[in-house]
Amino acid sequence: MSEDTRSELYAELAAVGPYGTHPGHALITMVEPHPGHEYAYNRWYEDDHYYAGAMAMPWMQAGRRWVATRDLQLLRYPEKSAIAQPVTAGCYLSTYWITAGRYDDHMRWTVAVNKRLNRDARVYHDRTHVLTAFQNHEATVYRDGAAGPRDVHALDHPYAGLVLQVVEADTPEQRAPLLQWLRNRHLPKRLAGSPAALVTVFSPTPLPGDRMTYVKQVEGVDTRLTLLWFLQTDPRECWNPGFTGLDAAVTESGLGRVELVAPFIPTVPGTDQYVDRLR
């Protein structure tokens, strides 16, 4: 006897609700495997969790994993970060796009699936969530205007690197002016002539109360913005002066401060490449 999957409901669900391609939301998760567990964690995430805990779910339309080898970790700043303690913590980053208007639907599914995975001993516990947050898309700024890949392609296009930047407004009321300054002034200026093709800007949302207990509640949901810079060259080749001084620029705006600037390169799926270079 086959398992009941309630498949008759799928045809009904497919006929209702938003189903555009715009990445209206994201899951951004930076994780540190515990010492001695780097290889096992990498295999679990790539072979099982990336699919069963993410890509197989409804409305999660794209994903990519990134890694920070030790030399990349040492480029991070500021040294005293509200995100990562120490600032080098969190050597793996996973980024996922979620269809606009489907946040609530996806959240109900992901909480249920992760509870099931936990019950079935398919969750790797020897890891620490340094930064894990679902996010709402606020803006995308392009270096080349209408030319080049759009944000919907960003996790599939073969970008050579990514820089995660977290900025924090001094007050909730200042986040909107901070976003406006980033979108209209700061980011177009920094992108011009740079190896970064685009920057996406997101704002974090609270995790549901019935989330898994090993994932801490999101901080700064009223004040933070999360930026993803998609690079056409290895971040080590353009770090100085391209990505140094971002903290000073935000501070000078008088609208907030930078809590993290962290470079990554893409993982090579199906391999353990870079795992021996994390420490």
Side-chain angles (χ1 to χ4, degrees), residues 149-253:
R150 305 290 85 192
D151 51 12
V152 67
H153 311 122
L155 301 184
D156 296 308
H157 187 80
Y159 285 112
L162 176 142
V163 174
L164 168 69
Q165 181 184 5
V166 179
V167 299
E168 186 129 19
D170 293 329
T171 66
E173 293 74 23
Q174 280 192 305
R175 186 166 70 176
L178 175 61
L179 173 62
Q180 184 178 17
W181 174 79
L182 287 167
R183 181 175 52 209
N184 298 333
R185 297 180 59 188
H186 176 67
L187 294 178
K189 180 180 178 181
R190 297 291 295 223
L191 282 171
S194 82
L198 63 98
V199 181
T200 57
V201 185
F202 294 89
S203 59
T205 62
L207 289 171
D210 55 350
R211 72 190 186 283
M212 301 310 296
T213 56
Y214 50 80
V215 181
K216 66 181 180 180
Q217 186 54 270
V218 178
E219 300 172 346
V221 293
D222 296 323
T223 53
R224 283 184 185 167
L225 293 169
T226 308
L227 288 69
L228 300 176
W229 301 68
F230 290 90
L231 311 184
Q232 294 174 316
T233 61
D234 188 305
R236 287 164 290 206
E237 299 175 6
C238 59
W239 193 250
N240 190 3
F243 288 93
T244 57
L246 291 177
D247 52 346
V250 174
T251 299
E252 288 169 6
S253 75

Side-chain angles (χ1 to χ4, degrees), residues 263-274:
F264 293 85
I265 55 175
T267 61
V268 181
T271 76
D272 289 318
Q273 191 168 344
Y274 306 120

Side-chain angles (χ1 to χ4, degrees), residues 57-94:
M57 297 191 197
W59 310 115
M60 188 161 266
Q61 64 189 53
R64 177 168 282 190
R65 289 186 76 215
W66 312 83
V67 60
T69 52
R70 187 61 181 173
D71 56 339
L72 288 167
Q73 295 167 33
L74 294 174
L75 295 176
R76 295 180 182 181
Y77 65 92
E79 183 178 355
K80 293 184 178 179
S81 168
I83 307 300
Q85 300 92 32
V87 71
T88 53
C91 54
Y92 281 106
L93 179 74
S94 296

Side-chain angles (χ1 to χ4, degrees), residues 38-62:
E38 294 85 358
Y39 282 92
Y41 168 79
N42 190 54
R43 291 273 45 86
W44 164 77
Y45 200 100
E46 280 207 350
D47 298 344
D48 190 2
H49 199 62
Y50 178 82
Y51 301 103
M55 294 305 299
M57 297 191 197
W59 310 115
M60 188 161 266
Q61 64 189 53

Side-chain angles (χ1 to χ4, degrees), residues 127-149:
R127 57 175 173 150
T128 298
H129 283 262
V130 178
L131 171 68
T132 294
F134 286 86
Q135 316 246 353
N136 290 327
H137 179 262
E138 298 289 351
T140 300
V141 181
Y142 297 98
R143 181 192 61 200
D144 302 323

